[in-house]
Short mmCIF file of all heavy atoms in Angstrom, two decimals:
data_model
loop_
_atom_site.label_atom_id
_atom_site.label_comp_id
_atom_site.label_asym_id
_atom_site.label_seq_id
_atom_site.Cartn_x
_atom_site.Cartn_y
_atom_site.Cartn_z
N ALA A 514 166.40 70.47 157.26
CA ALA A 514 166.75 69.08 157.35
C ALA A 514 166.50 68.54 158.81
O ALA A 514 166.07 67.37 158.98
CB ALA A 514 168.27 68.89 157.08
N GLU A 515 166.66 69.39 159.81
CA GLU A 515 166.40 68.93 161.14
C GLU A 515 164.90 68.71 161.34
O GLU A 515 164.42 67.78 162.04
CB GLU A 515 166.93 70.02 162.18
CG GLU A 515 168.42 69.98 162.17
CD GLU A 515 168.92 71.13 163.08
OE1 GLU A 515 168.52 72.32 162.87
OE2 GLU A 515 169.77 70.89 163.99
N LEU A 516 164.09 69.59 160.78
CA LEU A 516 162.65 69.30 160.78
C LEU A 516 162.21 68.00 160.14
O LEU A 516 161.43 67.25 160.67
CB LEU A 516 161.89 70.52 160.14
CG LEU A 516 162.00 71.83 160.83
CD1 LEU A 516 161.09 72.81 160.02
CD2 LEU A 516 161.56 71.84 162.28
N ASP A 517 162.82 67.78 158.98
CA ASP A 517 162.61 66.46 158.31
C ASP A 517 162.93 65.24 159.16
O ASP A 517 162.16 64.35 159.15
CB ASP A 517 163.43 66.39 157.02
CG ASP A 517 162.98 65.37 156.07
OD1 ASP A 517 161.84 65.40 155.61
OD2 ASP A 517 163.83 64.49 155.74
N ALA A 518 164.03 65.43 159.92
CA ALA A 518 164.44 64.32 160.85
C ALA A 518 163.50 64.10 161.91
O ALA A 518 163.15 62.95 162.28
CB ALA A 518 165.82 64.56 161.37
N VAL A 519 162.72 65.14 162.42
CA VAL A 519 161.77 65.06 163.39
C VAL A 519 160.55 64.15 162.83
O VAL A 519 160.12 63.26 163.49
CB VAL A 519 161.19 66.38 163.90
CG1 VAL A 519 159.96 66.22 164.77
CG2 VAL A 519 162.27 67.14 164.64
N ALA A 520 160.15 64.55 161.68
CA ALA A 520 159.02 63.79 161.02
C ALA A 520 159.43 62.29 160.81
O ALA A 520 158.64 61.38 161.01
CB ALA A 520 158.63 64.35 159.68
N ALA A 521 160.63 62.10 160.37
CA ALA A 521 161.10 60.78 160.14
C ALA A 521 161.07 59.89 161.39
O ALA A 521 160.69 58.74 161.41
CB ALA A 521 162.53 60.78 159.51
N ASP A 522 161.47 60.52 162.50
CA ASP A 522 161.45 59.79 163.73
C ASP A 522 159.99 59.41 164.20
O ASP A 522 159.78 58.29 164.67
CB ASP A 522 162.09 60.64 164.89
CG ASP A 522 163.59 60.75 164.71
OD1 ASP A 522 164.21 59.95 163.96
OD2 ASP A 522 164.21 61.63 165.35
N VAL A 523 159.14 60.33 164.07
CA VAL A 523 157.74 59.97 164.34
C VAL A 523 157.18 58.82 163.50
O VAL A 523 156.50 57.93 164.06
CB VAL A 523 156.82 61.26 164.31
CG1 VAL A 523 155.39 60.87 164.51
CG2 VAL A 523 157.25 62.31 165.23
N ILE A 524 157.45 58.92 162.23
CA ILE A 524 156.93 57.91 161.30
C ILE A 524 157.54 56.50 161.63
O ILE A 524 156.86 55.51 161.67
CB ILE A 524 157.20 58.28 159.87
CG1 ILE A 524 156.27 59.48 159.53
CG2 ILE A 524 156.90 57.16 158.86
CD1 ILE A 524 156.65 60.12 158.22
N ALA A 525 158.85 56.51 161.90
CA ALA A 525 159.53 55.24 162.18
C ALA A 525 159.09 54.74 163.48
O ALA A 525 158.85 53.50 163.59
CB ALA A 525 160.98 55.48 162.28
N ALA A 526 158.86 55.60 164.56
CA ALA A 526 158.39 55.11 165.81
C ALA A 526 157.01 54.42 165.77
O ALA A 526 156.63 53.61 166.51
CB ALA A 526 158.35 56.20 166.80
N ALA A 527 156.19 54.88 164.79
CA ALA A 527 154.82 54.35 164.57
C ALA A 527 154.88 53.07 163.80
O ALA A 527 153.75 52.40 163.56
CB ALA A 527 153.96 55.30 163.93
#
Side-chain angles (χ1 to χ4, degrees):
E515 289 173 310
L516 293 184
D517 192 62
V519 170
D522 287 346
V523 173
I524 293 170

